[in-house]
Amino acid sequence: MLKRLTVVLLAALALGGALSGCDRVDPNSPLGKRKVIFKDMLRTSEDLGGMLRGRLPFDGVKFADGAQKLDNLAHQPWQHFPQVRDGGDSSARAEVWERQARFHDLARQLEGVTGELADISRSQPLDAAQLKAPMDKVEAACKACHTEFRNH
């Protein structure tokens, strides 16, 4: 009886592992590539916002490096949205493909405001108070796109 239970348990675990493997995103797929970029953008943006809100110590050099990194990242994910909706567990709504012109407009707006933040951050020493408005624009651009085109 114990052998039979062990075999059934092992079979169930193997099946569960196989099914959970189906949930994984191919890192080389367009979805996998844009997810990595968006997560990196989020981490970078959170660090910058954290410095401006006192959650992290403000460091002008680190902020400038982060602003440049965020600007570079802001130009990358759009190439990984194919012309036709791709499969997978994407947070992107169908509107990304149905309203591509608007989606690309919002992407260009994000690129513009991250570029402004990077430009302002090049002048050392940085004053955290002067960076708040440009960072607010970046966060607003992210939110605008998420509101229209992201599922959560």
Side-chain angles (χ1 to χ4, degrees), residues 61-131:
V61 173
K62 284 184 182 178
F63 190 94
D65 290 345
Q68 185 60 54
K69 178 180 180 181
L70 186 60
D71 185 43
N72 289 337
L73 289 167
H75 290 79
Q76 295 178 23
W78 324 119
Q79 66 186 319
H80 301 294
F81 282 91
Q83 292 296 312
V84 194
R85 185 173 189 160
D86 51 354
D89 185 24
S90 175
S91 297
R93 292 183 186 162
E95 286 88 347
V96 167
W97 292 273
E98 295 166 1
R99 299 174 43 225
Q100 286 187 15
R102 173 69 176 152
F103 179 70
H104 290 291
D105 284 346
L106 290 176
R108 299 299 87 78
Q109 287 176 27
L110 177 64
E111 292 170 355
V113 295
T114 59
E116 290 173 16
L117 181 66
D119 288 345
I120 291 167
S121 300
R122 286 190 182 98
S123 306
Q124 294 289 333
L126 293 177
D127 178 7
Q130 292 178 332
L131 298 168

Side-chain angles (χ1 to χ4, degrees), residues 3 9 16 19 23 31 46 50 64 71 73 87 92 103 111 116 122 130 135 149:
K3 267 186 172 177
L9 182 59
L19 291 176
D23 292 341
L31 175 60
E46 285 178 342
D71 185 43
L73 289 167
F103 179 70
E111 292 170 355
E116 290 173 16
R122 286 190 182 98
Q130 292 178 332
M135 189 63 201
F149 295 106

Side-chain angles (χ1 to χ4, degrees), residues 1-12:
M1 180 69 167
L2 184 58
K3 267 186 172 177
R4 185 176 295 157
L5 182 60
T6 303
V7 169
V8 169
L9 182 59
L10 288 174

Side-chain angles (χ1 to χ4, degrees), residues 134-145:
M135 189 63 201
D136 286 347
K137 286 182 182 180
V138 169
E139 291 171 346
C142 290
K143 183 177 178 169
C145 192

